[in-house]
Amino acid sequence: MSVIEIKKLEKIYNENSEIQVHAVNDVNLSFEIGEFAAIVGPSGCGKTTLLNLIGGLDSSTSGSITIDGVDISTLSETKLTDFRMDNIGFVFQAYNLIPVLTAKENVEFIMHLQGASKKARDKRASELLEAVGIGDRADVRPGKLSGGQQQRVAVARALASKPKFILADEPTANLDSKATETLLNIMEKLNKEENITFIFATHDQRVMNKAHRLITLEDGKVISDEKVK
């Protein structure tokens, strides 16, 4: 059963200008629970824009995105924020960790926003850091962690709210081969064991090799969509 339905999605920048940019152009896609999919294509093809639209971080010009039966374009900003917090985890290229907080505190942060108790936050954050292989770095701040370790903290943070979906935008762009392999193995394990849906935006061949489905964009349009595993 499809849990994400994208219909006739358009995102036009400079809409009222003579030089319009069709970043996303008439995209129709659906995703089922437990997918491990990658949106691929060259820089500027629209993959990050599409991922941001799915995550409600940007608004579409037209079309619809329905997640678990909810058309997110109809939600107020407050309700959209709550929906994102409860359903979607994000992993960004730049990690986006809070530098004054420890690894564990970074993971706990979204649970604090959700109103979880200190005991519940502490337990889940510890479990997640162990799951991504850096339980021994829980009390270390981001500045003292390697790039690969910071991205693992970011994955743990994305999982903290128990989301159904993880959207990952070029998560391996700043990582070496060993750190990339470790991170992708962790994500694939979580996908298999917890049935979490992962959708990547990437031009990294290493991510493409791990993906079970490749959706190729060109000039904002889907030009191919294939199951590869």
Side-chain angles (χ1 to χ4, degrees), residues 11-57:
K11 179 62 180 181
I12 302 172
Y13 292 105
N14 305 323
E15 191 177 0
N16 299 317
S17 156
E18 290 182 12
I19 308 173
Q20 294 185 350
V21 178
H22 286 256
V24 172
N25 194 347
D26 193 27
V27 166
N28 297 277
L29 287 169
S30 63
F31 295 91
E32 297 178 3
I33 201 74
E35 289 213 49
F36 203 69
I39 301 167
V40 304
S43 296
C45 71
K47 56 187 183 291
T48 292
T49 301
L50 178 55
L51 203 72
N52 287 342
L53 291 171
I54 295 170
L57 298 177

Side-chain angles (χ1 to χ4, degrees), residues 25-31 37-42 45 50 208 213-228:
N25 194 347
D26 193 27
V27 166
N28 297 277
L29 287 169
S30 63
F31 295 91
I39 301 167
V40 304
C45 71
L50 178 55
M208 296 181 212
R213 176 183 177 189
L214 293 177
I215 299 157
T216 306
L217 292 190
E218 190 174 289
D219 298 328
K221 285 180 171 288
V222 176
I223 60 167
S224 71
D225 180 358
E226 58 181 334
K227 294 276 181 72
V228 290

Side-chain angles (χ1 to χ4, degrees), residues 111 120-129 159-162:
M111 292 183 283
R121 297 197 310 264
D122 182 76
K123 183 174 184 290
R124 180 142 178 87
S126 296
E127 288 173 350
L128 287 170
L129 288 172
L159 292 162
S161 62
K162 299 185 179 178

Side-chain angles (χ1 to χ4, degrees), residues 65-173:
I65 301 173
T66 304
I67 300 176
D68 260 1
V70 177
D71 182 348
I72 63 172
S73 65
T74 66
L75 299 178
S76 66
E77 194 57 47
T78 301
K79 287 186 176 179
L80 181 58
T81 299
D82 289 342
F83 184 85
R84 276 198 306 262
M85 190 160 57
D86 292 336
N87 293 279
I88 304 171
F90 297 92
V91 181
F92 300 100
Q93 177 179 340
Y95 318 137
N96 290 358
L97 300 178
I98 301 170
V100 297
L101 301 182
T102 65
K104 189 174 181 182
E105 289 167 343
N106 266 281
V107 176
E108 287 184 7
F109 187 70
I110 191 167
M111 292 183 283
H112 181 73
L113 294 177
Q114 290 178 312
S117 69
K118 187 177 188 307
K119 184 178 179 181
R121 297 197 310 264
D122 182 76
K123 183 174 184 290
R124 180 142 178 87
S126 296
E127 288 173 350
L128 287 170
L129 288 172
E130 287 292 340
V132 299
I134 51 168
D136 60 337
R137 308 293 280 165
D139 297 323
V140 180
R141 290 181 179 173
K144 296 286 182 66
L145 298 173
S146 69
Q149 289 171 336
Q150 288 187 62
Q151 196 60 298
R152 288 199 237 174
V153 175
V155 171
R157 178 187 59 187
L159 292 162
S161 62
K162 299 185 179 178
K164 296 173 183 172
F165 315 101
I166 299 288
L167 305 182
D169 186 15
E170 299 286 6
T172 59

